[in-house]
Amino acid sequence: MSGTETTETTNLTLVQAVRDALHDEMARDDRVVVLGEDVGVNDGVFRATEGLYDEYGAERVIDTPLAESAIAGTAVGMAAFGLRPVAEIQFMGFIYLAFDQIVSHAARLRTRSQSSFNVPLVVRAPYGGGVHAPEHHSESTEAMFAHMPGLKVVIPSTPYDTKGLLTASIRDPDPVIFLEPKSRYRASREAVPTDSYTVPLGEAAVRREGTDVTVFAWGGMVAPTLEAAENLAEEGIDCEVVDLRTISPMDVDTIVSSFEKTGRAAVVHEAPYTAGMAAEITATIQEESLLLQEAPIERITGWDTHYPLYASEDFYRPGVTRIEHGIRNAAGF
């Protein structure tokens, strides 16, 4: 952590931590503006922007039409000309309409203009399942954005990290995709400093020390992975759990050092199996530490199909039982 001067804290949920970071940065920097569908008068679909409209007014908390491409395009223009926009896409499943603006403009403008322009833009979106939402509301397509040069992709798993990572993202000089696990929005509370602080982008966190298998996860998969690790400890399997926190850029040093400690690994994510981030992590480990590898790396993921309606959600999304099974495979090979 950096940038905080007091130890005073308050217990916040993850979504309250989002709101806290937005409030603090808007108070600190007049250039920070929030825009998106229902973020103003209605306080946001999940209340992530609650009270901001009343405090900062319609010029800095801007309700937009239902037009994701326009939200992203407007934010790119704002950022290029000196503002610090934080654009909200209500659900990740609707972000495809903004994809061209994000990839063709936000991610490229610095390179295209030879650094005459940069784009200090944050695109926030709730992602992932676990809340029995309709179609298009539970997407987990973070790998698409991680593949794009010029974008950072940040995914917090705790309230503390959410405030610090979002603050760091808003202060970053280049575009950041900030994906919030909505299954964790109100799942727990944590002591969060009342003062502003940052958590550095690109640094993973070791959530649990272990010696037998390293398990990599992020966002909504960290909590069930930690629960699985505690259950497996009773069977004598000691897991180390690494929360990536930022998947682009990835913290390769922490990934490799943890794997070299255990020699066995599993990766857990909600996204489909094929070409997901687990494949990239697996390839990275094999490039860096092949001779220390004791077992095939397990990929515990969603399936290669569209995210299902909620009746099948618990089958699609990795849960504690499936995570435990994958880890046992890695440990027992």
Side-chain angles (χ1 to χ4, degrees):
M1 181 181 74
S2 61
T4 185
E5 296 179 354
T6 75
T7 56
E8 185 177 350
T9 62
T10 183
N11 281 328
L12 298 180
T13 62
L14 194 149
V15 73
Q16 289 173 328
V18 171
R19 190 266 177 199
D20 218 36
L22 292 171
H23 173 271
D24 287 358
E25 286 306 287
M26 295 185 80
R28 188 186 70 87
D29 187 345
D30 289 342
R31 298 173 300 170
V32 178
V33 298
V34 172
L35 67 158
E37 299 157 6
D38 298 323
V39 299
V41 175
N42 290 331
D43 290 330
V45 65
F46 289 105
R47 299 296 182 264
T49 54
E50 187 171 19
L52 298 180
Y53 181 87
D54 291 338
E55 190 156 3
Y56 297 104
E59 289 191 353
R60 295 185 65 194
V61 184
I62 303 165
D63 280 320
T64 68
L66 299 176
E68 286 77 10
S69 178
I71 294 169
T74 301
V76 170
M78 288 177 164
F81 285 92
L83 296 178
R84 295 262 172 176
V86 182
E88 178 181 299
I89 304 296
Q90 274 193 347
F91 295 90
M92 194 178 188
F94 303 121
I95 206 168
Y96 314 123
L97 296 165
F99 195 70
D100 183 53
Q101 296 285 2
I102 293 170
V103 171
S104 299
H105 301 292
R108 295 170 183 257
L109 195 53
R110 180 187 283 280
T111 301
R112 182 185 296 152
S113 69
Q114 297 182 328
S115 292
S116 295
F117 292 93
N118 63 314
V119 182
L121 160 67
V122 177
V123 178
R124 295 181 39 245
Y127 92 100
V131 298
H132 290 182
E135 188 182 13
H136 292 301
H137 290 66
S138 302
E139 311 288 294
S140 182
T141 50
E142 64 270 24
M144 291 197 315
F145 293 100
H147 186 71
M148 296 298 167
L151 296 178
K152 297 181 179 72
V153 182
V154 179
I155 309 179
S157 69
T158 68
Y160 178 92
D161 276 0
T162 295
K163 180 173 178 178
L165 288 167
L166 182 54
T167 301
S169 298
I170 294 170
R171 297 178 187 180
D172 195 272
D174 293 303
V176 175
I177 307 297
F178 194 87
L179 302 177
E180 299 158 9
K182 62 180 177 293
S183 64
R184 304 301 303 170
Y185 264 159
R186 293 177 173 83
S188 63
R189 290 181 177 272
E190 183 179 23
V192 175
T194 55
D195 278 355
S196 184
Y197 62 94
T198 59
V199 172
L201 306 185
E203 293 186 11
V206 177
R207 300 295 186 196
R208 185 185 192 281
E209 298 273 357
T211 57
D212 294 334
V213 182
T214 299
V215 190
F216 301 101
W218 51 89
M221 288 291 98
V222 173
T225 298
L226 286 168
E227 184 178 343
E230 293 304 320
N231 293 342
L232 290 170
E234 297 176 4
E235 300 178 14
I237 300 173
D238 188 17
C239 297
E240 179 147 307
V241 177
V242 176
D243 178 357
L244 259 59
R245 302 198 290 194
T246 303
I247 63 165
S248 180
M250 280 197 316
D251 184 352
V252 173
D253 289 345
T254 297
I255 291 171
V256 171
S257 65
S258 181
F259 177 77
E260 291 183 348
K261 177 179 171 184
T262 63
R264 301 170 190 268
V267 187
V268 186
H269 62 59
E270 297 184 57
Y273 179 88
T274 300
M277 289 303 299
E280 180 65 26
I281 293 167
T282 299
T284 299
I285 289 171
Q286 293 187 338
E287 287 169 353
E288 300 290 334
S289 305
L290 178 62
L291 298 182
L292 297 175
Q293 187 171 339
E294 301 285 351
I297 297 169
E298 288 286 322
R299 288 187 277 173
I300 307 161
T301 72
W303 307 111
D304 286 341
T305 184
H306 303 295
Y307 199 94
L309 297 177
Y310 63 80
S312 301
E313 185 174 54
D314 290 340
F315 175 74
Y316 177 90
R317 192 168 179 259
V320 173
T321 300
R322 187 141 66 95
I323 295 169
E324 289 176 4
H325 178 74
I327 295 172
R328 285 194 195 97
N329 286 344
F333 181 83

